[in-house]
Amino acid sequence: MHRADRLPQPTVRFLRWASAAELDLVGTAARLDAPARQRLDASPESAARRFLFGRALLVRTVAETIGTDPERIEVTAVCPDCGLAHGRPRVRTGGRTIHVSLSHTADASAVAVSIEHPVGVDVERLDAARFAGVEDVALTPAERERWQRLPDRRRLRALAERWTAKEAVTKALGTGLTTDPATIDLGQDAAPHVTETAGHRFVIDHPEPAPGFVVTTALLLP
Ligand SMILES: CC(C)(COP(=O)(O)OP(=O)(O)OC[C@H]1O[C@@H](n2cnc3c(N)ncnc32)[C@H](O)[C@@H]1OP(=O)(O)O)[C@@H](O)C(=O)NCCC(=O)NCCS
């Protein structure tokens, strides 16, 4: 049995896009590498804004977590499928790798940073329409059965927590949703907790950043 207070946890930051003025978007844009710059320039305005917001939040969170200057943080992302500058972000600073993950939802983004463990994060707005039918594609049969026994008032959050935990696990693995979420069995409900799934052990947690949102992190244990 693992005591929650002894489990490793990432640094998590959640920020609404309306708070973009808190971030150094200009400095972040100036420090993008050539492939990321190309991605920014080729994206429609809303996608470009979201990308830059996420990148700026990521850099700021890494800088705060390890106590370094944002200018010393190098972020790259190369899609293993198409070679373009999207996919899992990789962060290096002072000759070492820092584990990071990033997620966007309706009007907010979340970042998780871990010095020691690969990490995944997912954020979703608690929106019933968004989660309609997700139980059919994302839950294992046992999870679905447990979920269906829940009272109505608890179902949306429970499903959102399951979904975001599964997506966070696939991000910590670096596979994304090429791993079928319905093959990931997360076991018990309470968080933070350690779960063994997809051949690895993860610490799953649901920090509560703001009413109406669910944020879930998955730390990949050795
Ligand atoms: C990872 C994935 C589940 C994210 O889905 P999404 O709907 O974009 O959801 P989120 O907003 O929560 O996450 C986006 C972030 O995930 C991160 N990400 C993308 N691919 C990732 C991967 N393989 N592993 C970990 N993180 C990944 C990026 O940081 C991205 O944000 P950014 O583009 O602004 O940097 C999805 O992109 C996926 O399944 N990717 C793998 C398969 C794929 O699409 N390959 C591309 C073929 S060209």
Side-chain angles (χ1 to χ4, degrees):
M1 192 64 194
H2 297 265
R3 281 173 52 90
D5 56 3
R6 292 202 193 132
L7 294 173
Q9 294 295 343
T11 303
V12 181
R13 294 284 182 274
F14 166 91
L15 197 64
R16 305 291 284 267
W17 297 348
S19 303
E22 292 178 24
L23 298 174
D24 178 15
L25 298 179
V26 174
T28 303
R31 288 191 296 273
L32 291 177
D33 63 5
R37 180 81 237 178
Q38 230 170 18
R39 173 180 171 186
L40 188 71
D41 292 343
S43 298
E45 198 191 329
S46 60
R49 226 178 309 123
R50 187 181 70 164
F51 168 59
L52 196 58
F53 182 96
R55 184 61 71 89
L57 182 61
L58 181 70
V59 169
R60 190 184 76 179
T61 309
V62 172
E64 285 173 1
T65 304
I66 64 170
T68 195
D69 193 315
E71 291 184 10
R72 299 189 63 224
I73 298 169
E74 185 190 320
V75 188
T76 53
V78 181
C79 173
D81 297 320
C82 70
L84 292 178
H86 57 214
R88 183 182 210 169
R90 301 198 182 268
V91 170
R92 303 233 350 130
T93 180
R96 63 178 171 156
T97 296
I98 307 295
H99 303 286
V100 300
S101 186
L102 181 57
S103 179
H104 312 284
T105 188
D107 64 353
S109 299
V111 159
V113 172
S114 167
I115 292 170
E116 290 187 22
H117 305 279
V119 65
V121 69
D122 193 44
V123 59
E124 292 287 351
R125 185 186 270 287
L126 274 173
D127 172 350
R130 205 173 169 90
F131 282 96
V134 165
E135 69 277 16
D136 293 327
V137 291
L139 302 184
T140 65
E143 286 176 329
R144 202 173 310 124
E145 204 187 302
R146 278 199 301 272
W147 179 79
Q148 276 160 347
R149 285 203 302 265
L150 291 174
D152 277 355
R153 67 180 196 289
R154 288 187 51 206
R155 280 192 179 181
L156 176 59
R157 176 170 287 274
L159 187 57
E161 288 187 347
R162 286 269 144 178
W163 169 258
T164 52
K166 289 177 184 223
E167 196 164 323
V169 161
T170 70
K171 287 183 178 175
L173 291 171
T175 55
L177 291 174
T178 58
T179 301
D180 180 354
T183 63
I184 298 173
D185 191 338
L186 292 168
Q188 65 187 68
D189 278 315
H193 73 279
V194 174
T195 190
E196 200 159 343
T197 188
H200 298 275
R201 289 187 320 136
F202 298 87
V203 179
I204 305 290
D205 195 13
H206 307 288
E208 284 195 42
F213 292 87
V214 169
V215 174
T216 303
T217 57
L219 269 188
L220 176 56
L221 296 177

